[in-house]
Amino acid sequence: MVEIDAQTTLVGIIGDPVAHSLSPRMHNAAFNALQMNWRYAAFRVPAAGLSQALRGVVALGMAGVNVTIPHKESAAGVLDELDDLARQIGAVNTVGVSGSRLLGFNTDGAGMLDALTSDGGMPAAGRRCVVVGAGGGGRAAAFALAAAGASRVTVLNRTERKAQSLADAVRRAAPGCRVEPAPLLADVVERVVGDAEIVVHATAATMSAAMGGGGGRADWLQVLARRLHRGMAVLDMVYTPAWTELLGAAKAAGATAVSGLSMLVFQGARSFQVWTGRPAPLDVMRQAVGLTAVGELKS
Ligand code: NAP
């Protein structure tokens, strides 16, 4: 490993909480493999400090940062410039620096498409897709799938109003795609998952009571697990635990299960390229988060 010295270039991640993040491990493994004098650090920044922290990136001469929960949407309002996708999605996960300007990108959607194609063998073009969740991850997924030529994107969300406004925005951005919002209810899931070819799960529900911690799994989740079938790819953005119950249900049903870790690596690889201008060493990054070359989890 190249030792830290007075020439080391710093990048990192800003979030709250951030202690669980796998990004430092993944990016530092990449810098190490390429013998680069770069380091990636995690910064716990509360909402009130976001603006100052981002200006600090320029002031300290850092090359950029990732932005994660809860800052992805607020960061979009603080930066000097957003690329088209970040503007459409209304959220930023990657910040680059050009002179004294902060540039915002969103690599989540493209990372998700990369994971579906590489590990799921399922490019989105022409596919019937269901996106469960309309927060930052769900928004990125819906825009990316529609832009990639999906024939249909059904957006399901607990708060229906958010599914509707997301569907309206995606329809405007990709008029060729049929985009349908719906409430996240068991009977709706029953209806829309049966003929879907791609399911992307992007809610925080499975990390909480909905998975059984407080009163049993949510009805919609049980139906979702039951309706998965052969010939479809299921990507679970949630990667805590690395192998989720939803991925287990997908595998049991004969569907292709794509780990959120795969998406994490691909979105990170795109951030790496924004900062360094170099292609990321994907295999090294996959190993660092516990994925093998073909997307299976290391035992
Ligand atoms: P977010 O913006 O906070 O959105 C949370 C989503 O979860 C909303 O759609 C919310 O619905 C829904 N939700 C929360 N609790 C629920 C419950 N009990 N039942 C049903 N729906 C519920 O979060 P996010 O950034 O989209 O992240 C969502 C998950 O995806 C997290 O686990 C995150 O780590 C993961 N993620 C992974 C990657 C990756 O690279 N693998 C990238 C992005 C996100 P309402 O609108 O009704 O509140």
Side-chain angles (χ1 to χ4, degrees):
M1 177 170 307
V2 179
E3 269 196 46
I4 293 183
D5 62 15
Q7 318 259 325
T8 303
T9 303
L10 192 61
V11 286
I13 184 164
I14 292 176
D16 186 17
V18 78
H20 64 286
S21 175
L22 294 175
S23 293
R25 193 196 298 175
M26 178 171 79
H27 284 284
N28 286 319
F31 295 142
N32 188 29
L34 298 179
Q35 288 287 299
M36 292 169 70
N37 189 2
W38 287 54
R39 287 294 194 283
Y40 186 109
F43 301 96
R44 183 169 175 208
V45 175
L50 176 65
S51 195
Q52 267 182 305
L54 286 170
R55 287 294 147 202
V57 168
V58 175
L60 294 172
M62 293 173 68
V65 282
N66 282 130
V67 176
T68 189
I69 290 175
H71 303 314
K72 286 183 183 182
E73 284 162 55
S74 359
V78 173
L79 303 176
D80 300 307
E81 215 175 296
L82 300 181
D83 78 345
D84 286 347
L85 196 56
R87 191 174 319 106
Q88 281 175 349
I89 296 170
V92 160
N93 77 332
T94 305
V95 177
V97 178
S98 172
S100 61
R101 293 175 67 75
L102 289 163
L103 317 178
F105 305 87
N106 191 308
T107 67
D108 278 338
M112 181 218 60
L113 293 175
D114 292 340
L116 277 174
T117 304
S118 274
D119 291 331
M122 187 73 84
R127 307 287 184 187
R128 295 179 296 276
C129 308
V130 175
V131 175
V132 187
R139 288 185 66 82
F143 274 103
L145 290 165
S151 61
R152 190 184 81 198
V153 176
T154 307
V155 179
L156 307 179
N157 199 51
R158 177 178 65 177
T159 309
E160 194 180 357
R161 171 181 51 77
K162 279 171 65 182
Q164 270 161 358
S165 66
L166 172 56
D168 290 344
V170 173
R171 228 179 270 125
R172 282 195 295 276
C177 180
R178 205 170 121 205
V179 191
E180 296 167 343
L184 183 50
L185 298 172
D187 59 326
V188 179
V189 173
E190 180 85 44
R191 178 165 52 79
V192 301
V193 174
D195 74 340
E197 295 160 288
I198 292 175
V199 170
V200 177
H201 172 247
T203 80
T206 55
M207 294 172 74
S208 64
M211 275 316 261
R217 285 169 187 72
D219 289 352
W220 65 265
L221 201 48
Q222 293 184 38
V223 174
L224 176 59
R226 210 173 56 230
R227 294 293 278 161
L228 302 178
H229 52 82
R230 192 172 291 283
M232 70 166 23
V234 179
L235 186 151
D236 193 353
M237 281 198 198
V238 178
Y239 53 81
T240 319
W243 186 255
T244 62
E245 288 192 35
L246 188 63
L247 292 181
K251 199 166 180 191
T256 305
V258 183
S259 167
L261 288 172
S262 171
M263 172 174 164
L264 180 77
V265 168
F266 281 113
Q267 62 76 30
R270 286 171 177 270
S271 302
F272 184 97
Q273 180 129 22
V274 166
W275 301 322
T276 67
R278 299 176 63 165
L282 273 173
D283 286 350
V284 171
M285 293 168 81
R286 294 177 77 95
Q287 285 277 340
V289 302
L291 283 172
T292 63
V294 287
E296 293 289 331
L297 292 167
K298 281 196 287 195
S299 52

